[in-house]
mmCIF file of all heavy atoms in Angstrom:
data_model
loop_
_atom_site.group_PDB
_atom_site.id
_atom_site.type_symbol
_atom_site.label_atom_id
_atom_site.label_comp_id
_atom_site.label_asym_id
_atom_site.label_seq_id
_atom_site.Cartn_x
_atom_site.Cartn_y
_atom_site.Cartn_z
ATOM 1 N N ALA A 30 3.877 14.506 -3.380
ATOM 2 C CA ALA A 30 3.797 13.309 -2.406
ATOM 3 C C ALA A 30 3.396 12.085 -2.974
ATOM 4 O O ALA A 30 3.306 11.041 -2.380
ATOM 5 C CB ALA A 30 2.778 13.763 -1.311
ATOM 6 N N LEU A 31 3.021 12.049 -4.321
ATOM 7 C CA LEU A 31 2.542 10.962 -5.029
ATOM 8 C C LEU A 31 3.504 10.385 -6.050
ATOM 9 O O LEU A 31 4.198 11.185 -6.662
ATOM 10 C CB LEU A 31 1.175 11.247 -5.674
ATOM 11 C CG LEU A 31 0.038 11.789 -4.810
ATOM 12 C CD1 LEU A 31 -0.977 12.177 -5.816
ATOM 13 C CD2 LEU A 31 -0.443 10.674 -3.938
ATOM 14 N N SER A 32 3.616 9.052 -6.163
ATOM 15 C CA SER A 32 4.434 8.451 -7.149
ATOM 16 C C SER A 32 3.775 8.727 -8.495
ATOM 17 O O SER A 32 2.666 9.080 -8.695
ATOM 18 C CB SER A 32 4.718 7.077 -6.977
ATOM 19 O OG SER A 32 3.482 6.254 -7.140
ATOM 20 N N GLY A 33 4.514 8.496 -9.627
ATOM 21 C CA GLY A 33 3.925 8.617 -10.933
ATOM 22 C C GLY A 33 2.783 7.731 -11.226
ATOM 23 O O GLY A 33 1.790 8.197 -11.906
ATOM 24 N N ARG A 34 2.915 6.516 -10.698
ATOM 25 C CA ARG A 34 1.788 5.486 -10.912
ATOM 26 C C ARG A 34 0.682 6.029 -10.126
ATOM 27 O O ARG A 34 -0.536 5.877 -10.724
ATOM 28 C CB ARG A 34 2.399 4.122 -10.393
ATOM 29 C CG ARG A 34 1.203 3.145 -10.674
ATOM 30 C CD ARG A 34 1.712 1.695 -10.346
ATOM 31 N NE ARG A 34 0.725 0.843 -10.613
ATOM 32 C CZ ARG A 34 0.824 -0.499 -10.462
ATOM 33 N NH1 ARG A 34 2.105 -0.998 -10.138
ATOM 34 N NH2 ARG A 34 -0.035 -1.356 -10.636
ATOM 35 N N GLN A 35 0.693 6.502 -8.931
ATOM 36 C CA GLN A 35 -0.338 6.978 -8.181
ATOM 37 C C GLN A 35 -0.985 8.083 -8.895
ATOM 38 O O GLN A 35 -2.280 8.190 -8.804
ATOM 39 C CB GLN A 35 0.043 7.472 -6.804
ATOM 40 C CG GLN A 35 0.421 6.266 -5.820
ATOM 41 C CD GLN A 35 1.034 6.730 -4.532
ATOM 42 O OE1 GLN A 35 1.829 7.740 -4.490
ATOM 43 N NE2 GLN A 35 0.696 6.065 -3.545
ATOM 44 N N LYS A 36 -0.206 9.018 -9.441
ATOM 45 C CA LYS A 36 -0.790 10.228 -10.133
ATOM 46 C C LYS A 36 -1.660 9.748 -11.214
ATOM 47 O O LYS A 36 -2.819 10.246 -11.524
ATOM 48 C CB LYS A 36 0.280 11.197 -10.635
ATOM 49 C CG LYS A 36 0.996 11.818 -9.558
ATOM 50 C CD LYS A 36 2.136 12.659 -10.069
ATOM 51 C CE LYS A 36 2.869 13.338 -8.992
ATOM 52 N NZ LYS A 36 4.025 14.129 -9.503
ATOM 53 N N ILE A 37 -1.140 8.855 -12.052
ATOM 54 C CA ILE A 37 -1.804 8.289 -13.260
ATOM 55 C C ILE A 37 -3.151 7.726 -12.827
ATOM 56 O O ILE A 37 -4.157 7.940 -13.471
ATOM 57 C CB ILE A 37 -0.966 7.309 -14.077
ATOM 58 C CG1 ILE A 37 0.234 8.071 -14.794
ATOM 59 C CG2 ILE A 37 -1.730 6.556 -15.174
ATOM 60 C CD1 ILE A 37 1.210 7.188 -15.313
ATOM 61 N N LEU A 38 -3.121 6.808 -11.819
ATOM 62 C CA LEU A 38 -4.213 6.010 -11.453
ATOM 63 C C LEU A 38 -5.345 7.128 -10.896
ATOM 64 O O LEU A 38 -6.487 6.965 -11.153
ATOM 65 C CB LEU A 38 -3.953 4.949 -10.418
ATOM 66 C CG LEU A 38 -3.266 3.768 -10.887
ATOM 67 C CD1 LEU A 38 -2.666 2.902 -9.848
ATOM 68 C CD2 LEU A 38 -3.955 3.053 -11.981
ATOM 69 N N GLN A 39 -4.947 8.028 -10.110
ATOM 70 C CA GLN A 39 -5.778 8.927 -9.534
ATOM 71 C C GLN A 39 -6.523 9.835 -10.619
ATOM 72 O O GLN A 39 -7.730 10.180 -10.602
ATOM 73 C CB GLN A 39 -5.246 9.781 -8.391
ATOM 74 C CG GLN A 39 -4.969 8.977 -7.224
ATOM 75 C CD GLN A 39 -4.589 9.813 -6.054
ATOM 76 O OE1 GLN A 39 -4.628 11.076 -5.977
ATOM 77 N NE2 GLN A 39 -4.154 9.262 -4.881
ATOM 78 N N ILE A 40 -5.671 10.214 -11.570
ATOM 79 C CA ILE A 40 -6.300 10.990 -12.694
ATOM 80 C C ILE A 40 -7.241 10.243 -13.508
ATOM 81 O O ILE A 40 -8.308 10.769 -13.967
ATOM 82 C CB ILE A 40 -5.171 11.763 -13.496
ATOM 83 C CG1 ILE A 40 -4.334 12.772 -12.705
ATOM 84 C CG2 ILE A 40 -5.721 12.224 -14.747
ATOM 85 C CD1 ILE A 40 -3.138 13.286 -13.374
ATOM 86 N N LEU A 41 -6.887 8.948 -13.771
ATOM 87 C CA LEU A 41 -7.981 8.104 -14.387
ATOM 88 C C LEU A 41 -9.100 8.032 -13.567
ATOM 89 O O LEU A 41 -10.249 7.892 -14.176
ATOM 90 C CB LEU A 41 -7.391 6.718 -14.639
ATOM 91 C CG LEU A 41 -6.205 6.525 -15.688
ATOM 92 C CD1 LEU A 41 -5.595 5.185 -15.694
ATOM 93 C CD2 LEU A 41 -6.757 7.047 -17.121
#
Side-chain angles (χ1 to χ4, degrees):
L31 300 173
S32 70
R34 184 176 180 173
Q35 288 173 319
K36 290 178 185 182
I37 291 170
L38 291 175
Q39 288 191 9
I40 291 172
L41 286 175

